[in-house]
Amino acid sequence: MADQDDPAGAGVLWGTPAPARRGPKPKHTLDGIAEAASAIADAEGLDAVTMQRVAQSLGTTKMALYRYVPGRADLDAVILDRALGAPPSTSGATWEHALTDWSRALYSRALERPWTVELAQRPHVPGPQELTWYERGLEATDGLSLTAGERLDLLALLSGHALSLVRQQARSSSPEEDLASQLGPVLAAHTARYPRAVAAFAEAGREGSRDDALLFGVRRILAGVAALLEERHHGAGD
């Protein structure tokens, strides 16, 4: 089982592979185990993923899996890293475009497998792929008048915004449209009490501007950063 002092996933994702030994090849691989666990999560949700279920799907025993993955938390870290995959390149773009593409890619990747949102929010050591997302995001902010902490906070804001929308989108492909439909009879019966809500839902429907929260939020976050940079630029010139 995992060492209590070893954060989830650290040894499996970052440990040095054991040297090859004579004898029969290992029956399973970490990638194969991750694929089996991910398939269960895709079909039945994250709660269905247990060491026992993964072992059964591979035709082996739970104890046999511990040779490859010390425990469930380590398995979670592995399947999260595999699901995130590689981020888009940020080279050759303005920082605003690079971070917009970064946010959209993270949203799309997580939407393919919504269970990644829950795993990303659990305490864990970022794996190679997840850390590459950090690297690409930080690359986009190279040269900006931001502290290291502010650069990390910016990525936290963007990723938090994207992943929170994935959580909503996983339940409905058009949450705002669905809400407007559900509220329609209520608002029609209580127009005088909620005039602003009635007007906002109706106007958004006419404009076709519902369910665009991802880009709206990303643009507002980046506009705020741009305003901060402009303020610091003028302050430095005084």
Side-chain angles (χ1 to χ4, degrees):
M1 302 298 290
D3 189 324
Q4 295 297 320
D5 295 326
D6 182 29
V12 175
L13 290 169
W14 293 104
T16 302
R21 295 182 298 180
R22 291 185 178 182
K25 289 184 178 180
K27 187 177 180 180
H28 303 288
T29 65
L30 192 59
D31 282 337
I33 294 170
E35 287 176 9
S38 297
I40 295 171
D42 290 341
E44 303 177 48
L46 199 58
D47 289 343
V49 180
T50 65
M51 296 294 281
Q52 183 65 42
R53 282 293 308 279
V54 175
Q56 289 175 347
S57 72
L58 293 171
T60 188
T61 65
K62 181 171 67 173
M63 294 306 298
L65 288 189
Y66 289 134
R67 294 179 54 197
Y68 308 88
V69 184
R72 171 60 196 274
D74 300 273
L75 178 60
D76 287 346
V78 171
I79 63 175
L80 170 62
D81 205 56
R82 300 295 198 276
L84 288 176
S89 171
T90 58
S91 61
T94 65
W95 68 271
E96 294 100 329
H97 285 143
L99 289 177
T100 298
D101 290 345
W102 185 91
S103 302
R104 294 177 73 170
L106 178 60
Y107 171 82
S108 297
R109 197 70 53 82
L111 191 59
E112 292 173 3
R113 286 180 153 161
W115 45 263
T116 57
V117 175
E118 182 176 341
L119 292 185
Q121 293 173 344
R122 292 179 182 177
H124 67 284
V125 173
Q129 298 284 31
E130 187 175 359
L131 197 55
T132 303
W133 282 86
Y134 279 93
E135 188 70 16
R136 291 287 185 274
L138 291 170
E139 179 185 12
T141 65
D142 281 349
L144 299 184
S145 298
L146 298 172
T147 66
E150 289 170 339
R151 294 167 71 188
L152 290 171
D153 287 342
L154 173 55
L155 297 187
L157 282 172
L158 292 171
S159 61
H161 173 61
L163 295 181
S164 69
L165 291 177
V166 169
R167 189 181 291 276
Q168 293 181 28
Q169 197 83 357
R171 295 190 292 266
S172 168
S173 60
S174 54
E176 292 179 22
E177 188 71 34
D178 290 349
L179 178 61
S181 177
Q182 294 164 5
L183 282 176
V186 175
L187 293 179
H190 300 280
T191 301
R193 187 175 180 182
Y194 304 104
R196 293 173 183 81
V198 171
F201 277 104
E203 187 172 349
R206 289 193 298 270
E207 295 173 345
S209 59
R210 291 175 181 158
D211 298 306
D212 194 31
L214 176 68
L215 287 181
F216 179 82
V218 169
R219 288 167 179 159
R220 299 291 68 75
I221 291 170
L222 299 183
V225 173
L228 174 63
L229 295 174
E230 184 69 15
E231 177 184 314
R232 288 180 175 173
H233 175 73
H234 286 303
D238 292 341

